[in-house]
Amino acid sequence: KAGVTQTPRYLIKTRGQQVTLSCSPISGHRSVSWYQQTPGQGLQFLFEYFSETQRNKGNFPGRFSGRQFSNSRSEMNVSTLELGDSALYLCASSPSTQQETQYFGPGTRLLVL
Amino acid sequence: GQQLNQSPQSMFIQEGEDVSMNCTSSSIFNTWLWYKQDPGEGPVLLIALYKAGELTSNGRLTAQFGITRKDSFLNISASIPSDVGIYFCAGRGAGSYQLTFGKGTKLSVIP
């Protein structure tokens, strides 16, 4: 079974721009969660989607948004990028909304200049 | 919110030595997960624990769900160079959908 895939793997943007990241979960998994990972803050939960609905949301500003499609693929969007948004963005999938076992993708490394 | 304290932050060990790291939580968890992350990659699930007192092994790795349900530990026996990486614990409290992650333990193995 193929693992979680994320595209692109690397991205460079400038302040004020917006960015869209994509995640394809493991086949059959319906829950997709997004995390931001930085050296200082560690892994921080952004949001979780299940059946095209956002079920949980972390403490991030409204500039961070996401959506999930009927095939469970998910996208994350960050608008009006700030320098502090530079991070590794990780997507994780699990079979259900319980998040009991999550499987991570390789991440998208975003650099904001 | 829930807090996870993972220790130690970093470790340097000789190849062949055993390693132990742990996580403690400020509240009761009903799920503990241990992940390993290599540079430039996403975390890879090592062991999942769902029951207080549960002890689970995966090759040279052993993890336990503490009886108090507020802690978990991971042991690595006979370490090898490819064990190098950052190990994360993650937990989920009863009634919560959200996983909380520790800050990680960075393991270095000296050949």
Side-chain angles (χ1 to χ4, degrees), chain A residues 47-91:
Chain A
F47 29 66
E48 183 226 358
Y49 285 87
F50 178 80
S51 291
E52 302 177 66
T53 301
Q54 186 182 90
R55 293 292 184 138
N56 299 284
K57 191 175 187 308
N59 296 323
F60 277 81
R63 299 185 296 108
F64 292 81
S65 63
R67 60 178 175 166
Q68 187 180 35
F69 301 95
S70 57
N71 61 358
S72 294
R73 190 176 70 84
S74 177
E75 285 182 349
M76 189 192 101
N77 185 274
V78 188
S79 63
T80 320
L81 283 166
E82 301 176 0
L83 295 179
D85 296 334
S86 295
L88 181 66
Y89 289 89
L90 292 160
C91 160

Side-chain angles (χ1 to χ4, degrees), chain B residues 53-65:
Chain B
E54 182 180 354
L55 184 74
T56 298
S57 292
N58 178 6
R60 294 178 296 105
L61 277 60
T62 302
Q64 183 159 29
F65 194 137

Side-chain angles (χ1 to χ4, degrees), chain A:
Chain A
K1 219 182 224 187
V4 179
T5 57
Q6 290 186 246
T7 57
R9 290 294 308 273
Y10 305 93
L11 206 48
I12 299 175
K13 292 284 187 179
T14 55
R15 276 183 301 175
Q17 285 187 310
Q18 73 161 20
V19 67
T20 299
L21 312 181
S22 181
C23 170
S24 292
I26 291 171
S27 177
H29 284 193
R30 297 169 66 191
S31 171
V32 173
S33 298
W34 287 90
Y35 294 86
Q36 182 195 65
Q37 186 177 33
T38 57
Q41 298 297 321
L43 269 155
Q44 293 190 289
F45 173 74
L46 281 155
F47 29 66
E48 183 226 358
Y49 285 87
F50 178 80
S51 291
E52 302 177 66
T53 301
Q54 186 182 90
R55 293 292 184 138
N56 299 284
K57 191 175 187 308
N59 296 323
F60 277 81
R63 299 185 296 108
F64 292 81
S65 63
R67 60 178 175 166
Q68 187 180 35
F69 301 95
S70 57
N71 61 358
S72 294
R73 190 176 70 84
S74 177
E75 285 182 349
M76 189 192 101
N77 185 274
V78 188
S79 63
T80 320
L81 283 166
E82 301 176 0
L83 295 179
D85 296 334
S86 295
L88 181 66
Y89 289 89
L90 292 160
C91 160
S93 79
S94 64
S96 72
T97 59
Q98 295 298 314
Q99 292 193 328
E100 288 185 347
T101 304
Q102 290 193 341
Y103 299 88
F104 283 85
T108 294
R109 185 161 295 282
L110 172 65
L111 177 62
V112 182
L113 301 175

Side-chain angles (χ1 to χ4, degrees), chain A residues 99-101, chain B residues 29-33 48-50 65 90-93 99:
Chain A
Q99 292 193 328
E100 288 185 347
T101 304
Chain B
F29 279 4
N30 64 2
T31 300
W32 282 100
L33 305 173
L49 303 160
Y50 301 109
F65 194 137
R92 184 177 68 90
L99 280 176

